Amino acid sequence: TSKRFIVGFIALIGDIAIISHSAKADQVYFVDGGEHETSQEYPEHNIFILNGTTLSLVNGISIVAPSDGKDGEEAVRVEDAFFHAKNGLISGGLGVGGSGVTVTTNRNSEFQAKATFEDGVTVHGGDAIRQTTTRGGDAVQVLHAGSEAVFKGGVFTPGAGCTVQVCGQPTSTGNSVQVLNGKATVMGGKFNGNFFCDQCDIEIHGCVELKNGKITGNLLDGSRIDVVYDGSENDVIIVYDDSVCPEKQEETSSATKNRTFQSTTLRLCIFSLIFYLSYSKF
């Protein structure tokens, strides 16, 4: 019995597409170019989304990569395809320091790779707890030009590094976001680890600033960001929006309170006048 769990494997015979389904293994492939939604739990699985296929993570489904990394350490690999993580849990290979989600594209591919993360999703990199592992896994990594991760919400936590007791020396924690030659667009979310960038583009929307190697401020969804940035400042684009600045929010709140007070005062004055006029007739 094969250990591979293959969904949507395409064999083209003329104009006929044959789709093979199996349910007894560790790897799941979505490769038919269609649109799919998750409908079952994936414990101890690697999910591969390929060839322009779209997969949406819905229904609070969990995708957890195997602790044995020989078949792939990341929980989800988006290669020349599309992934929409609406809600659910994703975790990289525990023990092998696997990434939660990898977004990548092949050279000369007709498809771009893109992953979008919404408010209801949680992504973890795998912890490094074996001697064969160098460091903790990244929550999300983006590889190669033409690949992009869009963060509208969610929680992103890197895997922890190895300890002295296990590896002989401590190794580093992974990154909440790592981008190598690709692009990340950050509009929301909670990031519990560093941003790493090498020859990439990171576009950050909100009332934020990059100063002294840290990105701090409020993102468009109102989330607070406070992360270490490891990379060239020239690769970061700040799309500034003062509507989510604390001062602006306080001004808006004060203005709302003032309007409420003025409206209440006006109603009391009108009521008092009506009462006075009615009473004066007697």
Side-chain angles (χ1 to χ4, degrees), residues 2-282:
S2 172
K3 286 185 63 181
R4 297 180 182 274
F5 178 177
I6 304 176
V7 175
F9 176 76
I10 302 301
L12 293 177
I13 304 178
D15 294 328
I16 301 175
I18 299 176
I19 303 177
S20 173
H21 298 268
S22 173
K24 296 182 179 180
D26 299 324
Q27 295 186 335
V28 181
Y29 286 81
F30 294 88
V31 299
D32 64 353
E35 297 184 4
H36 304 271
E37 291 186 344
T38 53
S39 58
Q40 67 179 73
E41 297 291 325
Y42 293 104
E44 296 291 309
H45 283 83
N46 306 107
I47 306 296
F48 294 84
I49 313 165
L50 313 173
N51 302 335
T53 305
T54 298
L55 176 66
S56 295
L57 179 66
V58 295
N59 302 316
I61 294 296
S62 296
I63 303 172
V64 180
S67 56
D68 184 350
K70 64 184 179 183
D71 288 326
E73 299 174 352
E74 60 239 335
V76 179
R77 185 175 183 87
V78 185
E79 188 170 317
D80 304 322
F82 308 96
F83 181 52
H84 193 177
K86 296 181 180 181
N87 55 69
L89 170 68
I90 303 168
S91 183
L94 179 63
V96 296
S99 299
V101 178
T102 294
V103 187
T104 185
T105 185
N106 290 310
R107 186 173 296 177
N108 301 322
S109 171
E110 62 179 298
F111 303 106
Q112 290 187 328
K114 185 175 183 179
T116 301
F117 301 91
E118 304 283 357
D119 185 54
V121 70
T122 299
V123 184
H124 294 278
D127 292 337
I129 56 175
R130 294 182 181 175
Q131 292 181 355
T132 56
T133 311
T134 55
R135 68 178 181 87
D138 303 316
V140 177
Q141 66 171 343
V142 185
L143 310 176
H144 308 306
S147 302
E148 181 181 9
V150 179
F151 300 91
K152 296 182 178 180
V155 180
F156 305 90
T157 304
C162 195
T163 64
V164 174
Q165 291 81 0
V166 174
C167 295
Q169 60 181 4
T171 62
S172 62
T173 297
N175 302 294
S176 55
V177 179
Q178 175 170 274
V179 189
L180 308 177
N181 297 305
K183 180 178 181 180
T185 301
V186 182
M187 294 180 282
K190 182 179 179 181
F191 301 91
N192 297 317
N194 299 350
F195 281 20
F196 180 87
C197 169
D198 184 11
Q199 298 181 1
C200 75
D201 292 315
I202 294 185
E203 187 176 288
I204 305 175
H205 296 246
C207 180
V208 295
E209 66 173 354
L210 170 58
K211 185 177 180 180
N212 298 326
K214 294 194 72 174
I215 300 170
T216 58
N218 288 353
L219 299 172
L220 279 187
D221 70 340
S223 298
R224 176 74 181 172
I225 186 171
D226 187 350
V227 300
V228 172
Y229 172 70
D230 185 356
S232 171
E233 293 191 2
N234 294 329
D235 292 332
V236 178
I237 301 171
I238 303 293
V239 182
Y240 193 79
D241 189 329
D242 66 358
S243 67
V244 291
C245 292
E247 301 82 6
K248 202 74 173 181
Q249 293 175 332
E250 289 176 5
E251 290 175 6
T252 302
S253 177
S254 297
T256 301
K257 290 179 181 178
N258 288 336
R259 286 195 295 270
T260 301
F261 175 77
Q262 291 169 0
S263 176
T264 302
T265 303
L266 179 60
R267 285 198 297 270
L268 287 173
C269 290
I270 293 173
F271 175 79
S272 299
L273 178 60
I274 293 173
F275 178 80
Y276 172 78
L277 293 175
S278 300
Y279 181 79
S280 64
K281 292 180 180 180
F282 300 98

